[in-house]
Amino acid sequence: MQWAERQHFDRGSSLMQGWGVLLLLITCALWVRVGFLIWDTEDRMYCFRASSICKLETTMPEQLTLLGISAPLAVAGTGLLVAGSVRRQTSAHVLRVIEMQQSEERARTK
């Protein structure tokens, strides 16, 4: 009974870690995209022929949008990864303590 419950708990912890890693990978991809947008910051100016009105195009809104999306993903991914790791380590620690207590009880009864 204890072993099946521990496996179920570890499976949930692994799932949390997996989602955390996935979110962090997505965040890294967004940051790489922002890096390319920053690297290619040629401000493009378009002027219309009929008038002397010129329009400046920039990638700043896209950069800010990507950064705005990546920040919560990074926080959520880090939280899930840390929570899953802590759950697994805590579970392993509790199991070791239980095994040590059972070992001490067996040693006393002999």
Side-chain angles (χ1 to χ4, degrees):
M1 178 71 174
Q2 181 182 3
W3 179 250
E5 187 61 31
R6 182 166 187 264
Q7 283 182 329
H8 177 69
F9 191 79
D10 281 346
R11 193 174 309 118
S13 299
S14 296
L15 189 62
M16 285 177 72
Q17 285 179 317
W19 277 106
V21 167
L22 178 67
L23 288 177
L24 289 174
L25 287 174
I26 291 170
T27 301
C28 287
L30 290 173
W31 287 345
V32 166
R33 175 71 179 139
V34 168
F36 280 124
L37 288 174
I38 290 172
W39 184 54
D40 186 33
T41 56
E42 295 175 5
D43 292 330
R44 295 168 188 95
M45 186 172 293
Y46 295 103
C47 297
F48 301 101
R49 290 184 191 172
S51 64
S52 62
I53 299 173
C54 293
K55 181 180 176 186
L56 180 66
E57 281 193 5
T58 181
T59 59
M60 186 63 73
E62 185 178 358
Q63 293 170 1
L64 292 175
T65 302
L66 290 174
L67 283 175
I69 292 170
S70 69
L73 289 177
V75 170
T78 302
L80 285 171
L81 184 62
V82 168
S85 298
V86 168
R87 281 176 53 132
R88 288 184 105 175
Q89 291 174 1
T90 303
S91 173
H93 175 72
V94 167
L95 183 64
R96 280 190 215 115
V97 168
I98 290 171
E99 288 174 353
M100 287 173 51
Q101 288 174 345
Q102 290 173 351
S103 174
E104 288 175 0
E105 287 176 12
R106 282 191 298 256
R108 285 184 200 150
T109 58
K110 287 184 179 179

